[in-house]
Amino acid sequence: MRQNTDPAFSEQKVGYVGRDWLADAGWDTYGGAAEPDGGVQLDAKYDRDGNSEVIYWELLREQLIALNEKVTDHNVDDVITSLRRDFTGDSLLEANRNVQERLQKGRQVNLSKSDGTSEKVVVDLINHEEPEKNSLIAANQFRVRQHELVIPDVVLFVNGIPLVVTELKSLTQDSTVADAIDDIHTYEEDAPRLFAPVLFNVAADHEHARYGAVGTPETHYNPWQPDDPTGS
């Protein structure tokens, strides 16, 4: 995110700058200045089943068929059923580890065939070789209710799966990156289901940004440097 030291830069404006940057990078963005909340738009477009759900399963279903030659309308629900189990776990960190493995290595599934037999296949959730073939969406105000209702500022979805949660603050409103990280920690406690697939969280204001994995304490959030995305 490019820096801006305008004293009138509110959290909302920080969000608009971030979404503009993502749009320039090839992401489809929902929730601009003159639009309804992005989460509301996506819910209507992909028929999310209430705020307790965190995956846009209809979008993921479309992408599984598009990205995998052997996944069809006939057997895609075999994959969806397996993935629904993967996205739950006895603890947030356990579920997160399980999902990260699926995202990196794919999901082995017994796919039904039209002749009544089945075939064991590794199904890719993400196309790592040709990233432009994935669905990349950034949306603001994505609401999730588990123990409590949480509404992160911006969530990034790849093929309907939330992979990055972003919380934004404005120094002009006496809020800092540390406050954003505190909010993320609260969200992880109040709605851990959202964070099962998340790769990392981003906390930012209009001058600084830091990122950390799920469950990471504030001291281990690294500075995000545009010329050095890994923060090394």
Side-chain angles (χ1 to χ4, degrees):
M1 183 185 299
R2 61 181 179 268
Q3 294 184 358
N4 193 312
T5 55
D6 182 348
F9 229 53
S10 65
E11 292 177 18
Q12 188 178 54
K13 289 182 179 179
V14 175
Y16 294 155
V17 169
R19 284 190 293 281
D20 288 345
W21 182 85
L22 287 163
D24 290 342
W27 291 71
D28 295 325
T29 61
Y30 290 78
E35 304 174 17
D37 289 345
V40 172
Q41 295 183 60
L42 288 180
D43 290 353
K45 184 173 182 178
Y46 294 111
D47 196 25
R48 182 165 67 123
D49 187 19
N51 288 346
S52 64
E53 187 56 80
V54 302
I55 310 294
Y56 285 108
W57 291 106
E58 289 303 317
L59 174 55
L60 179 57
R61 179 179 279 105
E62 294 172 7
Q63 288 298 109
L64 290 171
I65 294 172
L67 298 179
N68 296 273
E69 182 179 357
K70 294 187 177 181
V71 178
T72 66
D73 285 326
H74 171 74
N75 59 29
V76 66
D77 284 336
D78 296 340
V79 187
I80 296 296
T81 298
S82 296
L83 291 176
R84 284 185 181 274
R85 291 194 297 266
D86 294 337
F87 280 71
T88 60
D90 293 334
S91 70
L92 170 57
L93 294 183
E94 177 190 354
N96 188 258
R97 283 193 296 268
N98 289 340
V99 175
Q100 299 315 313
E101 183 175 357
R102 303 295 184 258
L103 294 172
Q104 294 174 29
K105 300 179 180 180
R107 179 58 158 95
Q108 185 169 280
V109 181
N110 284 320
L111 290 180
S112 303
K113 300 172 68 173
S114 57
D115 62 3
T117 63
S118 64
E119 179 182 7
K120 188 171 290 186
V121 174
V122 174
V123 175
D124 291 326
L125 281 63
I126 294 175
N127 189 328
H128 297 282
E129 301 298 324
E130 301 173 284
E132 69 277 3
K133 292 189 176 181
N134 298 301
S135 166
L136 307 176
I137 290 175
N140 71 340
Q141 304 296 295
F142 178 67
R143 292 166 168 80
V144 176
R145 183 182 293 279
Q146 192 172 351
H147 308 310
E148 300 288 346
L149 177 67
V150 304
I151 313 175
D153 288 319
V154 181
V155 177
L156 308 187
F157 299 86
V158 177
N159 299 334
I161 305 170
L163 295 189
V164 180
V165 170
T166 302
E167 187 68 11
L168 306 172
K169 297 298 178 183
S170 171
L171 296 176
T172 62
Q173 297 174 317
D174 296 324
S175 296
T176 67
V177 169
D179 294 316
I181 295 173
D182 285 344
D183 285 351
I184 290 171
H185 289 159
T186 299
Y187 298 158
E188 290 176 345
E189 294 176 359
D190 290 345
R193 183 182 295 119
L194 170 61
F195 294 87
V198 166
L199 293 174
F200 59 89
N201 303 308
V202 175
D205 56 33
H206 57 271
E207 292 186 355
H208 305 98
R210 295 168 64 188
Y211 70 101
V214 171
T216 298
E218 179 190 343
T219 52
H220 290 172
Y221 265 69
N222 292 318
W224 185 283
Q225 302 175 24
D227 295 330
D228 181 15
T230 62
S232 60

